[in-house]
Amino acid sequence: MNSAAVVRPTSTACPPATNACAGWPESCSSGSPPADDRDEFVRHRCGGDDPAVHLVNRLPREGRADQVLLVGLSLFTLMSFFPAVPNSVNGKLKVVGCIVAVAWLAVVWRSDHPRVLWREHRLVAVATVGLVMWSLSSTLWATDRGSALASAGRVAMGAALLVVVFTGGRDRRAVLTLTLAFVAGGALTVAFGLIFKPGPPVVGAVFDPTRLSGGVGDPNDLAAALVPAIALGLFGLSYVRNRQGRVALAAILVALLTGMLLTQSRGGLAATAVMLGAGLVLGGRLRGRIAALCGVLVLIGVFYYAFLAPTESVDRLVSVVHSDASGRRSDASNRFPLWAHAARLIAQQPIAGVGAGNYRAAVEQRFGRDPATDAVHQRIVHNSYLEIQAELGIVGMLLFLTVVGGAVATAFRSAQGAATDGDRDGELLARGILIGLIGLLAAQLFLSGEYQVQFWWLMGLSLALAGTGVRATSGSGDRLPAGGRPGLPCDAS
């Protein structure tokens, strides 16, 4: 909440009825206010203590919690692009996560009208809680209960991040700040990979020294995270008005596109194509620029793969069956049997699935190890939708799609509403997030990214677009009527 804009009363006298309590809702002078704080105002308006002073004095504490939450979320967003760097950074990420959690609790506890997912998106909130509980319940029938419990914990962490980001995106300034942090995180992780050229990352990730993996540790995961960053950067070029900001954002966008090419991820390139296609359909006033960008990217891509890319990169792009630098068959050639195993598991247990995180255990128990895949790549399906369906069944898939559908629908409605109202900035912000989310959902067809931090983060920000998310206001989520005070519940509803 913005307490700087509020003028503290200097008198303890009861406010005259003619000025509607000096900016407060008229209902506060009628004796029948609809909200708790207005009840308190009415109860004490003729008492010795000025209730306005009492309520305003609480604003700085709430404002500080809001600011700490926004700063913490921004740092968390930046650091989430570096999960494969040394443990010291991961430890700092956990510390920042704890600070964010405490700040979120403070905002919810101290604010009069905090943004809570349950209030604005009840169906999505129920589906989110249901997905966590269903994942946890799958330990009852899972072959490997330890893996099921660990995977349920990862789902719970993703759901918690969605809820926190939703609260943190309380107004347009906050949403824009988080968006810029996301774009900056993508650029920084690309720069990290280009400068330091990290070696083999965490166990289970793809490693090929000819491919860029950045601070993410896996070139495919990096490519998936860069897709929405490119979309947000593209729409940000039109959102940012000062020349220096546009130049900086253009340089970042070039870095992101370069990083995408250097990952050599066919899934990432396909998702980028889907994202640009969605931009042509849903880009609104930016359709022309997106079409021009598509042409430029095609030319750059053809030039790169024709004259600059190493032979291995070209072979990888044009061949379905490919061997990486270690001589191991990789990607598409490995994914076909993985998808086939997932389909067989779905046919055997379509309702409940084999249990969260139990794809590998179920495959080894029922079909044995497939010689076409190694032990590392058998752990995941490399398709988020098939993996959720195989592990959590139809119930889990419906809950998951409800959350995803709610995020996409909210972003779409926000973009359409802003366009109808003539709100150019709000439209650009909403369309960028919408198209970035569509691109990331397309990337999920080629990797198991249902636990990816950026995925849950982007869904939370999409849901935050409703209400205060695209309005140029501050405060805890109430619209400001004419003459209203920022941060105070001034609407009559």
Side-chain angles (χ1 to χ4, degrees):
M1 295 187 179
N2 185 2
S3 59
V6 179
V7 180
R8 294 176 181 270
T10 57
S11 172
T12 59
C14 184
T18 55
N19 67 353
C21 301
W24 290 74
E26 293 186 9
S27 58
C28 70
S29 60
S30 65
S32 58
D36 292 341
D37 289 335
R38 298 169 194 171
D39 288 337
E40 184 178 0
F41 188 92
V42 171
R43 279 198 309 271
H44 297 89
R45 70 177 179 211
C46 294
D49 294 328
D50 190 344
V53 174
H54 171 69
L55 292 177
V56 169
N57 282 339
R58 285 159 41 187
L59 292 178
R61 296 201 304 271
E62 296 172 3
R64 284 196 296 268
D66 282 333
Q67 293 301 318
V68 170
L69 178 60
L70 181 59
V71 172
L73 271 176
S74 300
L75 289 175
F76 183 90
T77 302
L78 287 170
M79 298 174 70
S80 68
F81 283 88
F82 297 87
V85 296
N87 292 331
S88 59
V89 176
N90 285 331
K92 292 181 176 65
L93 180 62
K94 294 178 181 178
V95 172
V96 173
C98 291
I99 294 174
V100 168
V102 172
W104 179 81
L105 290 173
V107 169
V108 173
W109 180 261
R110 292 185 172 185
S111 296
D112 299 322
H113 298 275
R115 296 204 71 193
V116 181
L117 188 66
W118 172 260
R119 291 179 179 174
E120 299 184 35
H121 301 282
R122 292 198 176 183
L123 180 60
V124 174
V126 169
T128 302
V129 174
L131 184 61
V132 174
M133 298 305 296
W134 184 254
S135 301
L136 185 61
S137 300
S138 70
T139 59
L140 299 176
W141 59 83
T143 300
D144 185 348
R145 294 188 176 181
S147 295
L149 187 60
S151 296
R154 297 176 70 185
V155 172
M157 291 173 60
L161 180 61
L162 181 152
V163 171
V164 172
V165 171
F166 173 80
T167 302
R170 65 188 183 276
D171 54 35
R172 182 176 298 174
R173 181 179 64 84
V175 172
L176 181 60
T177 300
L178 294 175
T179 298
L180 293 177
F182 192 95
V183 174
L188 288 175
T189 197
V190 168
F192 175 83
L194 292 174
I195 296 172
F196 296 101
K197 301 183 183 299
V202 293
V203 176
V206 176
F207 177 70
D208 185 338
T210 66
R211 302 176 63 188
L212 179 70
S213 59
V216 175
D218 186 307
N220 296 321
D221 290 341
L222 173 60
L226 292 181
V227 171
I230 292 172
L232 296 174
L234 176 61
F235 279 83
L237 278 176
S238 298
Y239 189 98
V240 177
R241 290 183 173 82
N242 64 81
R243 183 176 180 181
Q244 295 83 356
R246 286 189 174 183
V247 170
L249 201 52
I252 289 175
L253 189 58
V254 170
L256 295 174
L257 292 170
T258 302
M260 176 62 72
L261 284 176
L262 295 180
T263 62
Q264 303 175 31
S265 172
R266 287 166 294 190
L269 292 175
T272 302
V274 171
M275 179 264 292
L276 292 174
L280 292 175
V281 177
L282 303 171
R285 65 186 74 222
L286 290 189
R287 286 194 185 98
R289 296 186 184 183
I290 294 174
L293 179 63
C294 289
V296 171
L297 290 179
V298 170
L299 293 176
I300 292 175
V302 170
F303 179 81
Y304 172 76
Y305 282 103
F307 300 103
L308 301 178
T311 304
E312 295 83 0
S313 300
V314 178
D315 292 341
R316 175 182 178 80
L317 180 66
V318 301
S319 302
V320 175
V321 179
H322 167 74
S323 297
D324 61 18
S326 63
R328 181 184 62 196
R329 286 170 55 178
S330 63
D331 285 325
S333 59
N334 272 337
R335 286 172 182 166
F336 294 146
L338 295 173
W339 295 346
H341 287 324
R344 294 173 67 184
L345 292 176
I346 292 171
Q348 291 181 3
Q349 290 184 252
I351 305 299
V354 298
N358 267 245
Y359 166 78
R360 183 188 183 194
V363 167
E364 293 182 354
Q365 181 188 53
R366 303 179 190 192
F367 314 128
R369 289 194 174 183
D370 192 323
T373 59
D374 57 27
V376 171
H377 281 75
Q378 274 189 335
R379 295 182 178 182
I380 55 178
V381 183
H382 287 281
N383 183 305
S384 297
Y385 309 105
L386 282 177
E387 184 161 296
I388 293 173
Q389 178 69 55
E391 293 184 347
L392 299 178
I394 294 175
V395 176
M397 176 58 77
L398 290 177
L399 292 170
F400 176 77
L401 291 179
T402 301
V403 178
V404 172
V408 172
T410 298
F412 178 78
R413 288 195 302 267
S414 298
Q416 293 296 99
T420 301
D421 295 340
D423 183 0
R424 175 185 178 276
D425 291 345
E427 180 187 357
L428 290 173
L429 196 58
R431 291 192 188 280
I433 294 173
L434 170 63
I435 292 170
L437 180 57
I438 291 174
L440 185 54
L441 290 172
Q444 303 299 320
L445 290 169
F446 306 100
L447 77 158
S448 295
E450 64 269 28
Y451 305 120
Q452 193 175 19
V453 170
Q454 289 79 16
F455 178 59
W456 290 94
W457 183 97
L458 197 58
M459 287 199 296
L461 199 66
S462 299
L463 292 167
L465 290 173
T468 60
V470 294
R471 288 206 315 274
T473 64
S474 60
S476 58
D478 295 290
R479 289 189 179 271
L480 301 181
R485 298 179 177 183
L488 294 177
C490 294
D491 60 343
S493 58

